[in-house]
Amino acid sequence: MFINDVDNSRMTDCMVKEVETLIKISGITEIKSVYFGGGTPSLAESGMIASVIQAVQSSATLPKNAEITLEANPTTTERAKLKEFKDAGVNRLSIGVQSLYKKDLEFLGRQHSVEDAIRCISDAKDLYPGGVSIDIIFGRPNQTVEKWNKELQQLLSLCDDHVSLYQLTVERGTPLCKWVQNKTVILPDDEVMADLYETAIEVLESRGFDQYEVSNFARNGKVGRHNKAYWEGDDYIGVGPGAHGRFTPCAQGKIQREARVQILEPNRWMTEVESQGHGTKLAKPQSQLEQLEELLVMGLRTKDGIKHETWKKRFSSKSMADLFCNQDIITQYVNSGLLHFDNSGMRASKKGLAVLNPIVQDLMNLLNDHWSGG
């Protein structure tokens, strides 16, 4: 996570120190991808980005073809630094375009204009050919399928080979939540929201994009590699204020995987890193059940679903088929074409991905019943 208005030199030293410490604690010997996200990493100095990448290289094996992604907003300031980030070692950009309508950008509180976004995509494609992803949000106030279709067509005439599609979420305690409750802001209803999502899938697929996860689409094989760690239940290290990680701290003699969270407040985090080598706020051991629940929630978001060998790594005594195949509710999902079981594993169909939440909830209930002996 990157924060503005902090001492850049001190922050860089602390980022490097925490990278080195946490890689050592984890016992991880190879890092397959690096992702600079959270806050606004593209406002960081390129020297900080380079230092973090060098720290990873000196602490573990970082393959030459490792994916190194940086989140960027398409403001004029950040656009000017794109080449510096490439020189620092970044080889993939994720650009927060969010919308190609001025009013929606203002509503979302974005600092860039539509023209900024268009120029940024063009500049990024020149510097990172085949390595540019764009984020766009749907479910915006008064959004119609017709306007959305037109916007997507324009976006896809500009973009590279990766698109991430996110539904606008209303979180409790936010101004948006209050506006929605008092009807100052009217968001699309569930039926329109579903139509917007289906329209996006149709338009993206018509342009050669493959939906490889609920929110992610790629063509020409440009699937994002970093998120696979989350979806497949692999270990990952979170570095910086507010970062999250999942790994077994082998070097501390522990054998149980931990869910780890770093201190959120930057100055407190830096003080702790300078004192202890890392700014971990919480290191909670994960039970086997918690790990399997995470795997169900994350793994079924993907087109490939959960492989039998991935499940077996976390739970060797019961296969997915043993747990789920003979259950009435799961049989209904299979018979209705929403869920597939085969020799490779369990996965949701394209139809199933669009209505995933109740499927996952039923699988979680069955897993918990098994755990409690029910």
Side-chain angles (χ1 to χ4, degrees):
M1 186 175 193
F2 289 84
I3 315 291
N4 305 333
D5 303 323
V6 297
D7 181 335
N8 183 71
S9 175
R10 186 182 175 206
M11 174 64 83
T12 299
D13 289 344
C14 288
M15 289 291 291
V16 166
K17 191 170 187 177
E18 187 165 72
V19 165
E20 294 169 343
T21 303
L22 293 183
I23 289 178
K24 184 177 180 181
I25 288 173
S26 72
I28 291 171
T29 56
E30 182 179 60
I31 303 292
K32 297 175 183 175
S33 64
V34 179
Y35 194 97
F36 294 94
T40 315
S42 53
L43 288 176
E45 296 296 325
S46 58
M48 180 191 292
I49 303 297
S51 295
V52 170
I53 294 170
Q54 287 162 13
V56 173
Q57 289 172 325
S58 64
S59 304
T61 300
L62 185 68
K64 284 187 178 178
N65 68 343
E67 180 184 271
I68 303 177
T69 305
L70 180 130
E71 285 184 1
N73 289 318
T75 62
T76 306
T77 305
E78 293 167 74
R79 204 173 78 243
K81 298 165 77 172
L82 296 184
K83 186 174 186 307
E84 292 178 24
F85 292 129
K86 183 176 182 180
D87 294 341
V90 172
N91 56 26
R92 184 174 181 269
L93 282 182
S94 177
I95 303 173
V97 173
Q98 315 309 6
S99 174
L100 290 178
Y101 287 115
K102 181 183 176 185
K103 275 190 174 180
D104 287 347
L105 289 175
E106 290 171 353
F107 168 77
L108 293 167
R110 304 297 165 175
Q111 301 301 309
H112 65 272
S113 66
V114 173
E115 293 72 27
D116 286 334
I118 292 169
R119 281 193 292 267
C120 186
I121 294 169
S122 177
D123 291 351
K125 282 166 63 180
D126 288 342
L127 285 165
Y128 302 82
V132 180
S133 176
I134 58 173
D135 291 358
I136 189 154
I137 292 174
F138 73 99
R140 307 188 298 260
N142 305 311
Q143 192 175 23
T144 64
V145 169
E146 185 181 2
K147 278 180 69 179
W148 177 226
N149 194 326
K150 182 181 174 186
E151 184 178 18
L152 283 168
Q153 298 291 355
Q154 183 185 0
L155 191 75
L156 294 179
S157 70
L158 302 167
C159 77
D160 203 356
D161 291 332
H162 195 279
V163 174
S164 294
L165 180 72
Y166 299 109
Q167 182 178 323
L168 180 64
T169 54
V170 180
E171 295 179 5
R172 288 171 60 186
T174 61
L176 177 58
C177 184
K178 290 179 184 173
W179 298 337
V180 169
Q181 285 175 343
N182 63 26
K183 294 187 167 47
T184 306
V185 168
I186 307 296
L187 298 182
D189 61 29
D190 289 346
E191 188 175 336
V192 174
M193 204 74 87
D195 288 343
L196 293 169
Y197 183 60
E198 286 171 20
T199 297
I201 293 171
E202 288 169 12
V203 171
L204 283 156
E205 288 184 341
S206 73
R207 296 295 191 96
F209 283 84
D210 177 47
Q211 184 184 19
Y212 69 95
E213 192 264 351
V214 169
S215 301
N216 286 281
F217 301 77
R219 64 184 172 191
N220 299 324
K222 297 299 182 181
V223 170
R225 285 181 265 153
H226 183 78
N227 285 346
K228 284 187 74 177
Y230 312 142
W231 299 329
E232 296 180 1
D234 291 336
D235 289 350
Y236 57 95
I237 298 170
V239 174
H244 289 237
R246 298 282 188 279
F247 62 83
T248 305
C250 303
Q252 295 178 337
K254 298 179 182 178
I255 58 171
Q256 194 168 1
R257 193 179 197 232
E258 293 180 346
R260 300 174 70 97
V261 183
Q262 307 312 102
I263 294 166
L264 179 61
E265 202 282 310
N267 285 308
R268 279 188 54 229
W269 172 80
M270 287 190 287
T271 299
E272 192 68 14
V273 172
E274 288 162 345
S275 167
Q276 305 295 327
H278 62 95
T280 305
K281 174 187 177 183
L282 177 71
K284 181 181 179 291
Q286 278 193 302
S287 68
Q288 192 175 44
L289 175 60
E290 287 170 330
Q291 292 180 52
L292 293 173
E293 286 176 332
E294 272 192 4
L295 186 57
L296 282 174
V297 170
M298 301 302 289
L300 283 176
R301 290 179 59 89
T302 66
K303 177 184 175 182
D304 293 337
I306 304 167
K307 304 291 187 188
H308 289 302
E309 58 266 30
T310 303
W311 182 269
K312 195 173 180 181
K313 272 198 303 187
R314 297 284 171 216
F315 190 32
S316 58
S317 58
K318 278 273 186 182
S319 70
M320 288 188 290
D322 289 339
L323 278 169
F324 304 126
C325 265
N326 296 318
Q327 304 292 335
D328 290 346
I329 185 67
I330 303 306
T331 301
Q332 288 175 33
Y333 287 137
V334 171
N335 290 342
S336 59
L338 296 175
L339 197 62
H340 297 308
F341 275 96
D342 57 27
N343 290 335
S344 67
M346 174 174 68
R347 66 190 184 279
S349 65
K350 184 177 289 189
K351 236 179 10 173
L353 286 174
V355 290
L356 192 59
N357 288 348
I359 298 173
V360 170
Q361 189 57 60
D362 284 330
L363 287 163
M364 296 256 282
N365 291 342
L366 289 169
L367 181 64
N368 277 276
D369 286 347
H370 170 79
W371 228 260
S372 61

